[in-house]
């Protein structure tokens, strides 16, 4: 391996989720798919890898890559174009690139609207040479590997949306019970009570949808459609509930002293990460036969 940290094939990470130290939380790993001109169109990647003897030479860039430029980051798994298939479409292959490899640079991205504690990076590959053994799986498997990873990642985004919705709801309910206007808690006013009732109902619906998708995966059954549904519903659910929570807080909901302001900002990433809401609707429509 390029930097010598992974000295045997057994120790080398088989995926971004099984790198040495990642499971116990001692290290993290980047998932290099998105590019400046290839976001929702994951098949539009321009990063290339050319075979040169016993090595591959990678050139290109990635953007909005989570966990890729932290002090704990060991490296990234990167998708690159490695040729063309018989039908003329690009062939994609995933490579393991360790930090410290010559020509590889990870630059942290700052000034984000939300998730400021989450490490996000731009990646640059300038004639980055990696051994042929650094291919993840087999040549040409890259696109399938990335899409499969996204299917699982959608469950994580859905869980974030569900948890965020629950947090915003809990904060709004607590505030509404304590805040008094016109001589009574604002939770007694129908306009506020109905927002809370709708939120409670939708959170329960989202929880059941997500749990079903996770159960299907645990049972090793097809879960891709349900994962897309859960991701779409729970991410947008948090937006609706956070919006209600800010409204219920009134002017205080706009102040950083109250958590609902952060819930409101943090939610927006969930509509975009692991495939936008629009992409999820495309995925679902294909699974139902449209």
């Amino acid at each position: 391996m390029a930097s010598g940290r992974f000295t045997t094939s057994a120790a080398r990470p088989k995926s971004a989720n099984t790198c040495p130290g990642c499971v116990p939380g001692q290290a993290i790993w980047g998932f290099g798919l998105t590019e400046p001109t290839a976001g929702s169109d994951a098949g539009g990647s321009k990063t290339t890898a050319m075979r040169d003897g016993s090595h591959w030479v990678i050139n290109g860039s990635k953007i909005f890559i989570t966990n890729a430029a932290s002090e704990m980051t060991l490296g990234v798994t990167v998708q690159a174009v490695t040729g063309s298939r018989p039908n003329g479409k690009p062939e994609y292959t995933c490579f393991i690139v360790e930090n410290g490899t010559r020509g590889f640079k990870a630059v942290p991205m700052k000034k984000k609207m939300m998730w400021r504690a989450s490490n996000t990076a731009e990646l640059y590959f300038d004639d980055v040479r990696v051994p042929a053994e650094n291919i993840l799986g087999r040549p040409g498997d890259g696109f399938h590997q990335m899409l499969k990873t996204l299917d699982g990642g959608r469950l994580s985004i859905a869980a974030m949306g569900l948890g965020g919705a629950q947090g915003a709801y809990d904060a709004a309910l607590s505030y509404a019970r304590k805040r008094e206007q016109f001589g009574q808690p604002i939770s007694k006013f129908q306009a506020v009570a109905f927002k809370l009732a709708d939120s409670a109902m939708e959170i329960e619906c989202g929880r059941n949808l997500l749990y079903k998708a996770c159960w299907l995966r645990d049972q090793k059954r097809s879960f891709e459609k349900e994962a897309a549904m859960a991701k779409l519903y729970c991410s947008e659910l948090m937006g609706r509930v956070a919006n209600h929570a800010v409204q219920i807080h009134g002017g205080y909901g706009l102040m950083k002293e109250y958590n609902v302001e952060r819930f409101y900002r943090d939610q927006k990433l969930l509509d975009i990460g692991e495939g936008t809401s629009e992409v999820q609707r495309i995925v679902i429509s294909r699974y139902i036969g449209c």
Side-chain angles (χ1 to χ4, degrees):
M1 299 289 288
S3 63
R5 277 192 295 271
F6 307 132
T7 56
T8 68
S9 59
R12 194 169 68 245
K14 296 299 186 294
S15 75
N17 295 323
T18 57
C19 70
C22 286
V23 173
Q26 299 168 347
I28 53 180
W29 193 264
F31 172 75
L33 175 61
T34 303
E35 297 186 4
T37 59
S40 295
D41 180 12
S45 296
K46 302 300 181 185
T47 296
T48 62
M50 303 291 291
R51 187 68 184 255
D52 183 16
S54 61
H55 286 71
W56 287 82
V57 182
I58 304 173
N59 283 282
S61 65
K62 302 288 181 178
I63 198 169
F64 305 127
I65 308 303
T66 304
N67 293 338
S70 164
E71 293 181 358
M72 296 174 61
T73 303
L74 292 184
V76 299
T77 300
V78 55
Q79 175 183 274
V81 179
T82 51
S84 298
R85 295 186 179 279
N87 60 8
K89 293 184 177 181
E91 174 190 84
Y92 299 100
T93 302
C94 287
F95 295 87
I96 293 168
V97 180
E98 297 178 64
N99 278 2
T101 303
R102 181 176 297 178
F104 171 52
K105 181 170 64 173
V107 181
M109 300 177 71
K110 304 291 186 180
K111 299 182 179 179
K112 295 182 292 182
M113 180 180 77
M114 71 301 127
W115 287 36
R116 294 169 186 165
S118 174
N119 178 257
T120 308
E122 293 181 270
L123 308 179
Y124 298 95
F125 305 88
D126 185 10
D127 289 334
V128 174
R129 296 178 63 85
V130 297
E133 67 183 41
N134 281 36
I135 287 180
L136 185 63
R138 297 175 300 178
D141 284 350
F143 195 59
H144 173 73
Q145 292 167 340
M146 287 292 182
L147 292 182
K148 187 175 181 179
T149 301
L150 287 173
D151 285 332
R154 286 167 184 159
L155 297 178
S156 298
I157 295 294
M160 293 177 194
L162 178 62
Q166 184 72 60
Y169 165 76
D170 289 343
L173 179 61
S174 176
Y175 182 84
R177 286 171 170 170
K178 297 174 183 177
R179 173 71 168 176
E180 291 192 1
Q181 292 288 273
F182 305 102
Q184 62 179 341
I186 61 173
S187 62
K188 299 295 183 181
F189 293 102
Q190 191 177 75
V192 173
F194 279 12
K195 286 182 173 64
L196 293 168
D198 286 346
S199 295
M201 176 186 65
E202 289 198 67
I203 288 170
E204 191 63 24
C205 291
R207 181 173 288 111
N208 280 279
L209 179 57
L210 173 59
Y211 284 15
K212 178 183 178 181
C214 292
W215 178 82
L216 288 171
R217 186 182 185 186
D218 286 345
Q219 298 299 310
K220 301 187 184 304
R221 295 168 59 178
S222 177
F223 71 97
E224 293 81 5
K225 179 185 70 176
E226 288 76 10
M229 288 179 170
K231 192 275 182 186
L232 173 62
Y233 185 83
C234 291
S235 60
E236 294 190 349
L237 163 64
M238 183 181 173
R240 292 190 293 272
V241 176
N243 186 60
H244 286 330
V246 170
Q247 191 71 18
I248 289 170
H249 279 71
Y252 293 111
L254 307 177
M255 306 305 294
K256 292 188 180 296
E257 287 82 359
Y258 289 80
N259 287 333
V260 291
E261 177 270 343
R262 182 174 179 180
F263 282 124
Y264 189 84
R265 287 185 293 108
D266 282 351
Q267 179 275 333
K268 194 56 197 173
L269 178 61
L270 306 185
D271 289 339
I272 298 171
E274 301 293 316
T276 64
S277 291
E278 291 78 9
V279 166
Q280 302 312 312
R281 287 181 167 89
I282 292 173
V283 171
I284 295 167
S285 67
R286 288 174 177 170
Y287 273 108
I288 64 176
C290 293

